[in-house]
Amino acid sequence: MSVNFKDFLKQPYPYYFKGKNLWILAALIFGMSMGFNYFFEPFVVYRPEHKFSYFWISMIHSLNAFLCVLLIIGLNNLRVNEDKWTVGSEIVLISIVLLAIGISQFLVRDMIYANPDNWSMRYFMEEIRNTFMVGVLFAVILVPLNYLRLTKAHLKTAQSLNSQHQSELFHQQYNILSIVTQQKSDDFELNPHEFLFAKSEGNYLEIFLEKGEDTNKILKRMTMKELESQLDSFPHFFKTHRSFLVNLQKVKQVKGNAQGYQLRLKSHSDSLPVSRGMVSDFERKFKSI
């Protein structure tokens, strides 16, 4: 059971907190928090302690949540690697945000409550507990809804891309290229029409070539950047992921999911990923070839 749970935590998960999505999320949290606190009063409300109306107290609590979401996730955006984001990463980030909100709610107690025990450990733990109770409720509502939204959007776009993609039209012939590697004895010739994709493995590249109905793999000592620079005249060779360079003319099917897209290629059984950060560029490039 524990092994399965660890595997679950390592599952890829879409990172959707950047740009306007972060502001939308923060505004949504503010609105939900304001409505939940003011109309439902989920926790004990002892009005004689209030220094001003409960509406403004609810507003302060909601504003705390809004600012913590912007601050914590905004800082995370500076260091996040979207390709490595997992279910576990998502849970940790949400927990850190909730902890920050709980601490901020404790720090403003003296401003809104006339209670001599405002700075006690009891109220500190109470604010943390209350924040996690409400936060987990919001997460249970928002996370599945967003996951379904992303899945639906990518499935719909994938269907559109597949319907527009007519691979039988690609009959252009190319000259054989001489590819230079890090070792002269390892240099090789490449027929661009046969190129399926390249996968980075440290300082080596696995290069997959289409040979009739089969796929051949060659291993060369070179970086992805070195190969890209020698193939930059082919706009349909597209880096879908930091570890994959793909010939989009060989794509047989685009499959959509919450993370983005998976590509099925001719003569190759495995699916290739399109990283979350490359989704928009991939859609534009795929439509143009």
Side-chain angles (χ1 to χ4, degrees):
M1 183 69 178
S2 60
V3 174
N4 291 334
F5 183 68
K6 289 180 181 179
D7 291 341
F8 169 72
L9 293 178
K10 293 178 181 178
Q11 289 295 310
Y13 195 83
Y15 190 83
Y16 48 86
F17 297 127
K18 287 190 173 181
K20 68 177 182 179
N21 287 339
L22 174 56
W23 288 92
I24 292 173
L25 175 66
L28 190 59
I29 294 298
F30 175 84
M32 292 178 68
S33 177
M34 183 65 191
F36 190 66
N37 284 323
Y38 185 70
F39 293 108
F40 294 99
E41 298 185 10
F43 307 108
V44 176
V45 177
Y46 186 58
R47 296 185 184 275
E49 290 185 351
H50 295 179
K51 292 184 177 180
F52 36 84
S53 74
Y54 185 63
F55 173 83
W56 292 109
I57 290 176
S58 298
M59 181 71 74
I60 290 172
H61 285 314
S62 302
L63 185 60
N64 276 347
F66 175 82
L67 293 176
C68 286
V69 167
L70 288 181
L71 177 62
I72 302 300
I73 298 182
L75 290 174
N76 190 66
N77 285 345
L78 299 177
R79 53 166 292 278
V80 68
N81 183 338
E82 296 181 40
D83 295 335
K84 294 185 177 180
W85 197 250
T86 63
V87 172
S89 305
E90 184 84 358
I91 292 173
V92 170
L93 180 61
I94 291 175
S95 299
I96 293 173
V97 170
L98 293 178
L99 179 61
I101 294 173
I103 293 173
S104 72
Q105 306 296 26
F106 172 74
L107 294 176
V108 300
R109 282 191 62 86
D110 219 32
M111 181 175 71
I112 59 181
Y113 300 122
N115 186 319
D117 296 326
N118 276 332
W119 295 103
S120 67
M121 181 58 68
R122 169 199 165 192
Y123 282 120
F124 178 78
M125 297 306 297
E126 184 176 286
E127 293 293 354
I128 299 294
R129 181 201 67 193
N130 292 347
T131 300
F132 269 84
M133 288 175 63
V134 176
V136 170
L137 175 63
F138 286 0
V140 168
I141 295 173
L142 294 178
V143 172
L145 287 177
N146 187 60
Y147 193 90
L148 290 173
R149 178 186 67 84
L150 290 170
T151 301
K152 183 177 180 181
H154 291 148
L155 283 173
K156 182 177 180 180
T157 306
Q159 290 175 352
S160 174
L161 293 174
N162 286 324
S163 66
Q164 296 175 21
H165 189 63
Q166 301 180 25
S167 58
E168 66 271 14
L169 298 179
F170 302 131
H171 297 301
Q172 184 175 353
Q173 297 298 316
Y174 303 102
N175 295 326
I176 303 297
L177 302 176
S178 295
I179 303 298
V180 178
T181 66
Q182 295 177 5
Q183 294 181 338
K184 187 172 180 60
S185 60
D186 214 22
D187 294 351
F188 66 102
E189 292 188 337
L190 173 67
N191 182 346
H193 185 70
E194 296 178 346
F195 178 77
L196 288 173
F197 70 96
K199 179 181 178 181
S200 176
E201 293 288 348
N203 289 326
Y204 288 86
L205 282 185
E206 294 179 349
I207 301 173
F208 294 79
L209 305 172
E210 183 181 44
K211 296 293 184 180
E213 298 296 323
D214 299 321
T215 300
N216 285 358
K217 181 179 76 172
I218 58 176
L219 184 66
K220 297 295 179 180
R221 185 175 179 83
M222 65 188 308
T223 65
M224 183 68 77
K225 186 175 181 179
E226 290 170 339
L227 180 62
E228 280 186 279
S229 65
Q230 298 179 68
L231 298 178
D232 60 1
S233 61
F234 298 89
H236 52 282
F237 291 176
F238 181 75
K239 195 173 182 180
T240 62
H241 184 281
R242 64 195 181 108
S243 299
F244 289 89
L245 180 68
V246 180
N247 182 352
L248 297 185
Q249 290 186 346
K250 300 295 185 179
V251 173
K252 180 171 62 175
Q253 183 184 29
V254 181
K255 301 175 66 176
N257 55 34
Q259 282 75 37
Y261 300 112
Q262 294 284 322
L263 308 180
R264 296 296 302 274
L265 271 61
K266 301 176 182 178
S267 308
H268 191 73
S269 58
D270 296 334
S271 295
L272 307 183
V274 178
S275 68
R276 177 70 183 145
M278 297 301 298
V279 165
S280 296
D281 290 339
F282 166 76
E283 291 174 352
R284 287 193 296 270
K285 178 65 70 172
F286 196 74
K287 289 176 181 178
S288 67
I289 63 172

